Amino acid sequence: MTDRTPDPDCLFCRIVAGEIPSEQVHADDLVVAIRDIQPKAPTHVLFVSREHIASAAELSDADGPLLGRLYAAAADFARAAGIAENGYRLVTNIGTWGGQTVPHLHIHLLGGRAMTWPPG
Ligand code: 5GP
Ligand code: ZN
């Protein structure tokens, strides 16, 4: 397992630590959720692990509780935001070709409009 201590050069580590301001919509012992600064849908929230994990490619069986929490927090948020009935998208980008720009694990919640498939 790679080192998961906070990385002072990591944007999301700094947001989780409160060093960089964000619009936080959820926080618990494992996950912090913030509104995306450049929303790609009417609702665009990032569910971020508190631990510095480079991407979902770094996860193992031991991360089951974290993964469950990430998805449950997103589903709870979608219900509370009133976008769950129509459906929404949860996605995590991995690496350059996956479109990942911040190398710290996060799941995008995109909702409030119909999504297209496949993504670009
Ligand atoms: P990725 O490209 O890694 O899948 O997702 C990173 C996301 O973080 C992008 O959607 C981008 O708009 C968002 N983002 C980048 N910088 C900031 C920031 O400083 N604050 C917030 N709230 N979101 C950010
Ligand atoms: Zn980080």
Side-chain angles (χ1 to χ4, degrees):
M1 194 173 86
T2 51
D3 182 15
R4 293 182 169 188
T5 55
D7 178 347
D9 296 325
C10 172
L11 174 65
F12 285 176
C13 280
R14 297 188 67 194
I15 285 178
V16 165
E19 293 168 16
I20 293 175
S22 66
E23 195 180 332
Q24 197 170 292
V25 297
H26 169 89
D28 61 44
D29 57 321
L30 297 175
V31 172
V32 173
I34 59 172
R35 290 198 189 273
D36 198 291
I37 204 166
Q38 284 189 292
K40 304 295 190 293
T43 300
H44 188 174
V45 174
L46 305 172
F47 291 80
V48 181
S49 60
R50 280 194 184 274
E51 280 189 316
H52 178 79
I53 301 170
S55 79
E58 302 294 322
L59 295 169
S60 72
D61 282 2
D63 295 307
L66 169 60
L67 269 178
R69 187 70 63 79
L70 282 165
Y71 279 91
D76 286 347
F77 179 88
R79 277 188 287 270
I83 60 165
E85 199 168 322
N86 282 334
Y88 53 91
R89 183 163 296 163
L90 299 177
V91 65
T92 190
N93 299 323
I94 298 173
T96 307
W97 278 27
Q100 185 178 13
T101 58
V102 180
H104 178 129
L105 178 66
H106 55 283
I107 294 176
H108 295 256
L109 165 60
L110 295 151
R113 66 168 170 82
M115 299 294 137
T116 57
W117 190 263

